[in-house]
């Protein structure tokens, strides 16, 4: 067993992590540690991904402040024992559900929002009363290291700890039979994690990715749609799991919509290759992968790149086939593929031909179209007339379905994810119905059939 896992298992058994006071104090301390080191965290995010302080604040650090505040407010109520009804057949008795932490939780996080996607599940693990081991991504080197330093300097390792590394380190931790695994990352690695956990019967959550469609209906407010699509697509230069991946645009509004897309790209990120608030692509590998997706294409807008700084201009391409390479994988970069449709039913067929997406965005002013899409397409979560914002609220569960993930979190849902429901029936002693006890005969059967019919 990995020494950290055995240390944390022993500490968990002391019961200290379950104390409400301790959980709230840990959250308060975590917030204070982040506040004290906020500048260093923002700097690390700039070094890893070229995120501006503003972008890093709203999508990473500020997001965590909100989650902590929400949890401090909600925890006393969430952790209460819930009384439920008791059926006549078990009379006399009381029934209740206790929320119980799993024990040692392993949190595996990716590089694209390296602070938020590590700390948000950590908050869930803490509020539910677990200990936690964090395994951040090696590609977000600076942020992963600062997280490690902050946790190590401020919390005992038997409670919260960080392990840096990749596949081998992660596998060793899982094989030490942690009590819960929370994984955020790619579908391919998610499958490996699931199968490893499955073999050991370790419960898990998978927060994965995929191709999230964005529909621009002919009734949409085009200016607003273009503005919000550019906002959602270019946040972190497209390296967002819920970024609008491809755009399905009604043929009657295509030209006007593309014009407006260009206007907002220019307005939000002028001179993107030298613009300090326009993020870079995380690694050379991903940079080259993205270039290949549009290099031989007729580019409608953008298309230039800077290999030294790993930056790619926001690039619009029009597709005439779903077989195009850009449709064979999650893009995860600043490429806007446009696919034209004539009838909304084509949209449903197209989206259904891919795995269930993590997110779906619909721009429309037509209530019937809205109903048709929401009722006929399965997706993790999404927005009508906006992008990304469904994950910026603690009141909506965030997660995928099938290939885009298993389980969810954020706000109250994080508490639910990191704790389990322990059912208890507390039986009265005074009255003891003899009917339940052997020997069984026809008379008893007749009687029981009057009660259970
Ligand atoms: P990744 O799957 O390569 O890595 C995720 C984590 O797993 C990292 O910590 C990595 O070190 C570790 N890892 C990598 N290979 C492993 C292996 N074989 N065994 C065990 N652990 C391993 O993902 P990534 O490239 O860091 O992140 C991008 C992906 O994450 C995209 O697909 C994106 O859509 C997805 N994502 C999903 C969400 C969400 O909330 N649903 C959020 C962000 C990113």
């Amino acid at each position: 067993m990995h020494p950290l896992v055995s240390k944390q298992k022993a500490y968990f058994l002391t019961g200290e992590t379950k104390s409400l006071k301790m959980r709230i104090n840990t959250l308060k301390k975590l917030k204070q540690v982040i506040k004290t080191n906020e500048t260093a965290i923002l700097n690390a995010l700039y070094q890893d991904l070229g995120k501006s302080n503003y972008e890093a604040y709203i999508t990473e650090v500020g997001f965590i402040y909100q989650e902590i505040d929400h949890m401090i407010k909600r925890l006393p109520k969430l952790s209460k024992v819930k009384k439920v009804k008791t059926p006549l057949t078990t009379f006399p008795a009381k029934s209740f559900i206790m929320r119980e932490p799993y024990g040692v939780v392993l949190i595996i996080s990716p590089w694209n929002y390296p602070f938020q996607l590590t700390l948000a599940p950590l908050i869930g693990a803490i509020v539910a009363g677990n200990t936690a081991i964090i395994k951040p991504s090696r590609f977000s080197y600076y942020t992963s290291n600062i997280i490690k330093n902050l946790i190590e300097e401020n919390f005992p390792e038997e409670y919260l700890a960080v392990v840096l590394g990749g596949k081998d380190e992660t596998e060793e931790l899982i094989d030490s039979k942690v009590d819960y695994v929370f994984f955020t990352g790619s579908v391919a690695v998610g499958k490996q994690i699931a199968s490893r956990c499955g073999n050991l019967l370790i419960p898990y959550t998978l927060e994965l990715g995929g191709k999230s469609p964005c529909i621009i209906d002919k009734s949409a407010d085009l200016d607003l749609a273009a503005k919000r699509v550019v906002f959602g697509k270019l946040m972190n230069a497209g390296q967002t799991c819920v970024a609008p991946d491809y755009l399905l645009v009604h043929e009657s509004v295509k030209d006007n919509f593309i014009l407006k897309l260009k206007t907002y790209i220019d307005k939000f990120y002028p001179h993107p290759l030298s613009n300090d608030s326009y993020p870079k692509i995380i690694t050379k590998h991903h940079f080259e992968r993205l270039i290949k997706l549009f290099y031989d294409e007729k580019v409608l807008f953008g298309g230039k790149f800077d290999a030294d700084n790993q930056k790619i201009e926001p690039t619009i391409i029009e597709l005439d086939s779903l077989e195009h390479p850009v449709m064979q994988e999650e893009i995860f970069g600043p490429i806007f593929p446009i696919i034209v449709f004539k009838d909304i039913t084509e949209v449903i067929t197209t989206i259904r031909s891919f795995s269930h997406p993590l997110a779906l965005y619909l721009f429309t002013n037509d209530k019937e179209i809205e109903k048709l899409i929401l009722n006929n397409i399965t997706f993790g979560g999404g927005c009508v007339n906006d992008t990304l914002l469904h994950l910026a609220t603690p009141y909506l569960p965030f997660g995928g379905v099938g290939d885009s993930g298993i389980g969810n979190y954020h706000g109250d849902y994080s508490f639910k994810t990191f704790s389990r429901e322990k059912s208890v029936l507390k039986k009265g002693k005074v009255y003891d119905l003899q009917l339940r006890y052997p020997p069984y005969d026809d008379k008893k059967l007749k009687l029981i059939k009057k009660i259970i019919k």
Side-chain angles (χ1 to χ4, degrees):
M1 190 185 281
H2 193 294
L4 262 179
V5 178
S6 55
K7 258 190 195 169
Q8 291 210 351
K9 281 198 185 245
Y11 181 60
F12 179 74
L13 291 180
T14 67
E16 277 183 34
T17 61
K18 295 187 196 171
S19 134
L20 191 63
K21 198 168 158 211
M22 162 135 180
R23 288 185 266 168
I24 290 181
N25 284 344
T26 304
L27 290 183
K28 287 183 177 162
K29 183 168 177 188
L30 188 63
K31 185 166 178 187
Q32 176 249 316
V33 167
I34 300 171
K35 282 245 175 237
T36 312
N37 294 279
E38 192 180 284
T39 309
I41 296 165
L42 295 178
N43 286 343
L45 288 162
Y46 182 79
Q47 282 174 289
D48 283 326
L49 286 143
K51 288 189 194 200
S52 68
N53 282 353
Y54 184 87
E55 183 173 328
Y57 190 85
I58 59 163
T59 64
E60 304 248 21
V61 179
F63 182 96
I64 293 303
Y65 291 155
Q66 280 187 320
E67 278 282 300
I68 292 178
D69 291 349
H70 175 89
M71 286 308 198
I72 290 174
K73 231 188 312 168
R74 293 282 297 145
L75 187 53
K77 188 153 183 211
L78 286 171
S79 53
K80 274 200 177 123
V81 169
K82 189 175 156 200
K83 289 184 189 145
V84 293
K85 286 185 186 170
T86 301
L88 195 63
T89 40
T90 53
F91 178 83
K94 283 180 182 159
S95 307
F96 54 90
I97 301 166
M98 298 168 73
R99 300 291 325 192
E100 185 178 63
Y102 284 95
V104 180
V105 167
L106 172 62
I107 295 165
I108 308 163
S109 58
W111 50 261
N112 62 332
Y113 288 84
F115 190 75
Q116 192 239 107
L117 293 173
T118 308
L119 273 284
L122 178 66
I123 292 164
I126 294 167
V127 291
N130 300 282
T131 69
I133 300 174
I134 296 166
K135 213 302 289 166
S137 171
R138 67 169 90 204
F139 295 117
S140 45
Y141 174 85
Y142 294 99
T143 314
S144 297
N145 274 283
I146 201 162
I147 292 172
K148 183 172 168 64
N149 293 342
L150 294 184
I151 296 292
E152 280 179 357
E153 284 162 15
N154 292 285
F155 301 96
E157 66 173 4
E158 63 268 28
Y159 183 25
L160 307 179
V162 180
V163 172
L164 298 180
K167 183 175 184 288
D168 294 346
E169 291 77 3
T170 313
E171 289 180 352
E172 194 192 345
L173 287 164
I174 297 176
D175 292 349
S176 301
K177 214 154 178 344
V178 291
D179 300 295
Y180 197 92
V181 172
F182 188 98
F183 172 82
T184 308
S186 61
V187 176
V189 177
K191 284 181 184 169
Q192 293 176 33
I193 299 286
S195 111
R196 218 170 184 94
C197 288
N199 270 335
L200 293 165
L201 295 178
I202 298 171
Y204 57 84
T205 296
L206 300 178
E207 294 282 338
L208 310 176
K211 294 188 81 60
S212 298
C214 178
I215 306 158
I216 315 293
D217 173 43
K218 61 175 184 291
S219 70
D221 176 336
L222 289 188
D223 193 69
L224 195 75
K227 194 200 290 183
R228 292 179 178 175
V229 167
V230 171
F231 163 84
K233 183 72 170 183
L234 295 185
M235 186 68 79
N236 202 19
Q239 301 166 107
T240 303
C241 57
V242 284
D245 185 280
Y246 60 100
L247 310 176
L248 295 154
V249 185
H250 192 271
E251 62 171 359
S252 65
V253 297
K254 183 193 90 179
D255 291 342
N256 201 0
F257 180 68
I258 292 177
L259 212 67
K260 285 179 186 295
L261 273 187
K262 293 177 184 173
T263 307
Y264 280 109
I265 293 171
D266 274 340
K267 192 168 171 191
F268 291 171
Y269 298 98
H271 314 294
L273 298 184
S274 55
N275 185 330
D276 224 20
S277 50
Y278 182 63
K280 64 175 182 175
I281 305 302
I282 185 82
T283 56
K284 275 259 169 306
H285 163 75
H286 281 291
F287 176 82
E288 279 156 17
R289 174 184 67 79
L290 287 164
I291 302 293
K292 278 194 205 130
L293 293 179
F294 64 83
Y295 199 65
D296 292 325
E297 291 304 315
K298 190 171 156 261
V299 164
L300 300 181
F301 184 78
K304 293 205 264 312
F305 45 85
D306 173 352
D308 293 338
N309 292 316
Q310 284 166 214
K311 286 197 178 193
I312 301 175
E313 280 186 348
T315 298
I316 306 176
I317 53 174
E318 187 175 343
L319 308 184
D320 46 24
S321 157
L322 294 178
E323 304 306 312
H324 190 285
V326 87
M327 295 304 287
Q328 310 314 311
E329 57 181 279
E330 179 183 21
I331 300 173
F332 232 54
I335 304 171
F336 298 69
I338 310 265
I339 299 161
V340 170
F341 70 90
K342 287 191 174 81
D343 188 272
I344 197 74
T345 54
E346 288 169 44
V347 162
I348 297 176
T349 313
T350 301
I351 298 172
R352 282 183 179 165
S353 71
F354 295 93
S355 325
H356 298 318
L358 180 59
L360 178 143
Y361 305 111
L362 168 65
F363 286 87
T364 187
N365 281 318
D366 183 333
K367 288 234 159 60
E368 287 307 310
I369 297 274
E370 181 182 321
K371 236 196 277 170
L372 188 78
I373 296 296
L374 296 185
N375 290 335
N376 288 288
I377 300 178
T378 300
F379 57 94
C383 305
V384 176
N385 293 324
D386 214 327
T387 60
L388 311 191
L389 293 194
H390 62 294
L391 64 80
T393 156
Y395 303 105
L396 286 175
F398 174 66
V401 45
D403 281 11
S404 55
I406 296 174
N408 57 44
Y409 72 131
H410 285 181
D412 293 4
Y413 299 93
S414 292
F415 178 83
K416 287 182 184 147
T417 288
F418 285 100
S419 61
R420 57 171 300 277
E421 290 167 322
K422 185 154 87 180
S423 304
V424 181
L425 183 133
K426 186 172 176 183
K427 191 79 169 109
K429 285 180 289 184
V430 181
Y431 177 71
D432 199 16
L433 187 66
Q434 293 309 305
L435 188 60
R436 67 188 259 196
Y437 297 112
Y440 302 129
D441 54 24
D442 284 352
K443 204 170 137 207
K444 278 191 173 174
L445 181 62
K446 245 190 210 163
L447 249 168
I448 199 74
K449 278 189 166 180
K450 283 190 180 151
I451 303 170
I452 308 172
K453 33 191 176 198

